Amino acid sequence: MNATTITVPQADPGAGYRAQKDEIDAAVARALASGWYILGKEGEAFEKEYAAWQGAARAIGCANGTDALTLAMRGLGIGPGSTVVTVSHTAVATVAAIEMVGATPLLLDIDPDTYTMDPDELAAVLEDPPPGLPPIRAVIPVHLYGQACDLAPMLAAAQRHGATVIEDCSQAHGATLGGAKVGNLGRIACYSLYPTKNLGALGDGGVLTTDDGALADAIGAIRQYGWKERYISADVGVNSRLDELQAAILRVKLTRLDANNARRAQIAAAYDAALAGGPFAPPVRRAGAGHVFHQYVLRVPDRAAVMARLRAEGVATAVHYPVPVHLQPAYRGRTPLGPAGCAETARAAGEVMSLPMFPELTDAQVERVCAALRAL
Ligand SMILES: *Cc1c(COP(=O)(O)O)cnc(C)c1O
């Protein structure tokens, strides 16, 4: 076959639309006909339905996942004069959000097997913070690729030192730890609803969940100019609203989120079997964690060559993420790191490779990827 013809894309947000086209078209028509386009009935219904699905008391919609993180921090009073700890092996949004509120990011290294924050390094920086930084007020663990962080020791360390845990669940809608959904374990959780996420809008969107009603009310006001009553800003706010069209679409897509996560797990199991006995180990699963496979990531030292071989078989791959945040031009040389110096992060960035992963992959496409993997 033609080496440049991709028969299995790495991601395909259009497939998610086509899979529920009639329902989504009807929801869009309903939202358009309503004559109300921002913060109305669809948004309220989505917030109720998402909170119920998550098992949280409250959900607050917003414009995107980056804003969800900034709104969480604003709601908690975290800004200039605060340090917020997260990882460098994440979407740049996690770090950008910390600077957007005027706080100082402190970036820690990852556990090389699961690519999530090293809890020992977190305990170390909380115990003995790097000199010259403002006090550590919050920790943002990122449940990367669909798998929960090793959260229990992190929660304990944060609590000992009075730091608030804000979960970044943008890649982990429905992931579990010890049987509990991630997002219900810290003080508040933030989710991107970008089209390729496990729950994706057909445009930008974000949502937060929390059991703290007062915090939810505060964030609900901050996302719209600090209004508690119309046109009167009780506090300084921003504009970060989820629109009615996206909310209507998300309500449809939420009905299929659990089934889609199950399909992702099925695809992951097929890849596991195809990799057995070969040179590349399947992703490490954390004991007690339910992985929702936002990405299926292999560690491949000779990555460029392997990506080219898969591409020659029509299989597209991607790299999440090729350059750690602290080494990107905007951040390099000025972003404080933990004592580990993000050494594992730098190594992972050179080796990680994501296989095709989205629920609408057909069995034939999955088999095509498996055949290509068996030939490696
Ligand atoms: C996608 C993502 C974000 C940002 O979400 P946007 O909706 O693009 O603003 C934040 N954190 C993580 C881990 C993400 O994957």
Side-chain angles (χ1 to χ4, degrees):
M1 73 170 278
N2 182 335
T4 59
T5 305
I6 290 299
T7 51
V8 192
Q10 202 275 328
D12 184 5
Y17 167 56
R18 290 187 294 276
Q20 292 185 283
K21 183 176 185 310
D22 291 347
E23 283 173 277
I24 290 173
D25 287 351
V28 167
R30 184 180 71 227
L32 289 177
S34 75
W36 190 278
Y37 304 112
I38 300 278
L39 295 188
K41 287 193 184 114
E42 299 290 344
E44 272 171 36
F46 171 69
E47 288 175 347
K48 281 208 172 65
E49 289 158 13
Y50 194 77
W53 174 84
Q54 173 66 24
R58 297 281 296 278
I60 311 106
C62 66
N64 55 65
T66 312
D67 279 359
L69 291 161
T70 64
L71 288 167
M73 286 182 273
R74 284 181 199 281
L76 291 161
I78 293 165
S82 305
T83 292
V84 178
V85 181
T86 191
V87 283
S88 185
H89 189 67
T90 181
V92 71
T94 316
V95 181
I98 295 169
E99 292 199 334
M100 281 168 73
V101 301
T104 302
L106 171 60
L107 304 184
L108 303 189
D109 209 356
I110 50 169
D111 160 49
D113 290 332
T114 56
Y115 308 104
T116 54
M117 186 185 285
D118 176 355
D120 294 333
E121 193 182 15
L122 175 63
V125 296
L126 286 167
E127 191 63 46
D128 185 16
L133 294 183
I136 296 173
R137 299 278 315 284
V139 181
I140 306 183
V142 181
H143 303 300
L144 200 74
Y145 303 147
Q147 178 155 250
C149 296
D150 186 7
L151 209 56
M154 295 163 55
L155 287 166
Q159 187 165 23
R160 267 199 310 280
H161 296 278
T164 302
V165 173
I166 302 167
E167 294 177 75
D168 186 343
C169 300
S170 294
Q171 303 192 3
H173 317 71
T176 59
L177 188 64
K181 265 189 184 145
V182 303
N184 295 340
L185 304 164
R187 178 86 183 278
I188 188 162
C190 303
Y191 315 72
S192 169
L193 305 171
Y194 182 80
T196 55
K197 304 290 160 108
N198 289 41
L199 177 64
L202 301 179
D204 269 317
V207 65
L208 303 98
T209 60
T210 181
D211 285 336
D212 181 336
L215 181 59
D217 287 342
I219 289 169
I222 294 166
R223 75 171 164 182
Q224 178 162 247
Y225 318 123
W227 288 355
K228 283 178 186 147
E229 64 186 289
R230 203 167 178 77
Y231 305 130
I232 309 294
S233 293
D235 293 295
V236 173
V238 299
N239 175 5
S240 180
R241 300 174 295 212
L242 180 67
D243 70 67
E244 291 286 281
L245 273 172
Q246 296 306 331
I249 292 165
L250 286 161
R251 293 179 67 195
V252 175
K253 295 190 86 181
L254 181 59
T255 63
R256 209 172 272 193
L257 175 53
D258 289 327
N260 281 345
N261 281 345
R263 173 64 179 158
R264 287 173 185 268
Q266 202 176 43
I267 295 165
Y271 292 168
D272 289 348
L275 289 164
F280 304 115
V284 173
R285 270 66 152 193
R286 186 183 306 295
H291 200 317
V292 291
F293 288 97
H294 174 60
Q295 300 295 350
Y296 185 99
V297 175
L298 300 179
R299 204 181 253 279
V300 182
D302 194 8
R303 182 170 66 196
V306 172
M307 288 177 82
R309 284 177 67 187
L310 292 172
R311 174 161 280 270
E313 297 300 320
V315 174
T317 53
V319 175
H320 301 99
Y321 296 92
V323 182
V325 174
H326 73 280
L327 296 177
Q328 295 180 19
Y331 298 92
R332 191 169 44 216
R334 67 173 190 86
T335 311
L337 304 180
C342 288
E344 289 295 348
T345 296
R347 196 165 69 88
E351 298 184 349
V352 289
M353 181 187 83
S354 308
L355 293 179
M357 179 54 83
F358 53 95
E360 299 81 16
L361 280 170
T362 64
D363 289 347
Q365 285 176 311
V366 173
E367 180 41 41
R368 180 158 198 101
V369 178
C370 289
L373 292 175
R374 284 189 294 264
L376 287 176

